[in-house]
Amino acid sequence: MATAQDSYLNLVSHPVAREIAGRFGLPRPAVLRRYRPGEPLLPGPVLVLGGSGADALAGPLPDLGLQIRRQAAHGERLGAIVAVLDEVAGPADLAASALAVGAALRELAPGGRIVTVSRQACETLPPAAAAARQGVEGLLRSLARELRGGATGNGILLGDGVDVDAPGVTGALRFLLSARSAYVDGQFLLVGSTDGQPAAEPERPLAGHTAVVTGAARGIGAAIAEVLRRDGADVVVVDVPAAGEQLAAVANRIGGTALQLDITRPDAGARIIEQAGRHGRIDIVVHNAGITRDKLLANMDAERWDAVLEVNLAAPLRLNEALLASNLLGPAPRIVCLASTSGIAGNRGQTNYAASKAGIIGMVRSSAPLLAARGGTINAVAPGFIETEMTARMPAAARQVARRLLPSLQQGGLPRDVAEAVAFLSGGAAAGINGQTLRVCGQSLVGA
Ligand code: NAD
């Protein structure tokens, strides 16, 4: 597979090269802590800061195998700091929590985690309360940019009527603390309902579920298929006939089923339903297939525009309609769509692609109530710069610059980083998360 390699990152992983890079003021990206079965959730105990909300949040954490501290002990390396700020009612309430996190930061281990838990700011609040709640987002996103050594900072937002001990909060916290979220940085997950339950088999949370992944012959799609399989799902992998050989290799590797299909065909929905239906029902659908046809808008032609909008947006819209109309969706269906940071921030030369990916974000938001009515969810994952054949096509210099400009992690993500986020959103622990877009971007907005 011609996936781009980050040779600079490989080089500075060596202690001598690392020291030389430091002496010359060159970036020294850390090797990120990534999931390995059987490893502890965190590289040390978790410090939980806050009032009564922190007590409630800390309650279930020992069940996750975590050691809890309610106060920092000088010299003890912390795996994570969780700051519960659910009671902030005005700007003055931010200082104590912010400074307490700051005072403990030096004890955070490499690959450690900061997670804030706070309430969503909404229009119906008094301005001071809304200001303070929104303030948490600025605090966390900036703090995430100050972390080094592969540590990340993310937040959980509590929706109306959701308390810190809701199952969805524990599920989101577990994901954000774990090595599965290695490349998720500076992001917020809104837990909007009290739905959700811990997986019966935590190492195989998707056991007994059937998943369909489009564009799975290579890159991010192949990684998604592998991670869903690792987590216990039966996987149907879909890709164009021209990628049939690679698709068969992925299917063989994971013991899945290959379906050669161009998702833009009018009968694509019927073909997927027929194939996946042989497994009894469809629990998870991942709309991953995507293409780029970059051109400045002044040079854009209808062929490039239409191809991108058709594969990336029109086909998933049609497939969702077909799926929702079928009687094969399981009792808690999960749809996860691949958006892109280009669809959030825009990207020169990508008007067609960014329109399609922003369209995905709109589609997800508007489809959320439809899925909720079926006991399910639909969410998007927006990758930033991920090392795949898609980004390998960028000019080499632009690729190196893009990697090093990433705020604190200073490297591109790997396909499996995106796959871990997709797998999390596909599981029961994420039942309270609906209609959202989670960026997997090392806190940058550069990508394909
Ligand atoms: P990729 O080009 O490596 O793989 C995409 C796969 O989709 C290919 O196997 C291709 O054959 C398949 N495909 C294309 N058109 C299809 C069709 N009509 N029917 C069925 N399959 C089709 O891309 P990737 O980098 O792995 O990206 C996967 C997804 O992630 C895409 O939606 C992409 O837009 C998105 N994304 C990627 C990045 C990145 O940095 N690589 C960043 C943001 C978003």
Side-chain angles (χ1 to χ4, degrees), residues 35-302:
Y35 175 75
R36 285 202 217 117
E39 284 203 347
L41 201 60
L42 279 170
V46 53
L47 173 65
V48 183
L49 298 170
S52 57
D55 295 331
L57 182 105
L61 298 188
D63 295 345
L64 306 181
L66 294 172
Q67 288 178 287
I68 311 300
R69 303 283 182 267
R70 294 303 311 277
Q71 279 190 328
H74 186 67
E76 182 180 49
R77 279 303 218 190
L78 293 169
I81 304 168
V82 177
V84 183
L85 298 117
D86 59 329
E87 284 171 358
V88 294
D93 296 339
L94 291 171
S97 307
L99 298 176
V101 173
L105 271 183
R106 284 185 209 290
E107 313 298 347
L108 192 67
R113 299 282 185 264
I114 308 281
V115 180
T116 57
V117 180
S118 59
R119 295 210 162 270
Q120 185 189 21
C122 47
E123 294 97 38
T124 51
L125 284 174
R133 289 185 186 184
Q134 194 78 38
V136 175
E137 297 187 30
L139 156 68
L140 185 276
R141 289 192 211 273
S142 297
L143 171 56
R145 287 175 190 256
E146 294 176 11
L147 299 175
R148 290 291 177 268
T152 62
N154 294 289
I156 297 173
L157 295 176
L158 309 171
D160 259 358
V162 177
D163 288 325
V164 289
D165 55 358
V169 176
T170 313
L173 185 59
R174 184 190 169 102
F175 170 69
L176 293 175
L177 294 178
S178 75
R180 294 172 193 248
S181 65
Y183 203 62
V184 178
D185 199 13
Q187 304 307 309
F188 283 84
L189 276 169
L190 170 65
V191 179
S193 85
T194 53
D195 295 344
Q197 61 202 38
E201 288 182 68
E203 293 294 310
R204 297 180 78 247
L206 305 178
H209 291 199
T210 299
V212 176
V213 184
T214 68
R218 65 180 201 192
I220 294 171
I224 292 170
E226 281 164 16
V227 170
L228 293 182
R229 179 66 198 145
R230 179 203 70 195
D231 284 357
D234 289 325
V235 188
V236 177
V237 289
V238 180
D239 212 302
V240 288
E245 221 169 284
Q246 278 175 295
L247 187 69
V250 173
N252 285 341
R253 206 158 60 232
I254 64 170
T257 311
L259 173 61
Q260 292 187 16
L261 175 70
D262 181 334
I263 57 158
T264 64
R265 284 175 56 114
D267 64 347
R271 295 269 312 276
I272 288 175
I273 288 165
E274 185 206 336
Q275 178 66 255
R278 292 184 194 154
H279 295 252
R281 61 176 210 219
I282 304 173
D283 301 291
I284 300 162
V285 177
V286 184
H287 294 299
N288 164 80
I291 58 170
T292 49
R293 297 285 184 273
D294 296 357
K295 274 276 175 210
L296 296 178
L297 188 59
N299 304 325
M300 184 68 70
D301 52 67

Side-chain angles (χ1 to χ4, degrees), residues 214-221 238-240 243 261-264 287-291 311-312 338-341 353 357 382-391 393 447-448:
T214 68
R218 65 180 201 192
I220 294 171
V238 180
D239 212 302
V240 288
L261 175 70
D262 181 334
I263 57 158
T264 64
H287 294 299
N288 164 80
I291 58 170
V311 175
N312 296 3
L338 270 287
S340 165
T341 50
Y353 182 76
K357 294 299 187 180
F385 183 93
I386 305 297
E387 307 280 1
T388 68
E389 288 178 50
M390 197 178 253
T391 44
R393 287 199 293 271

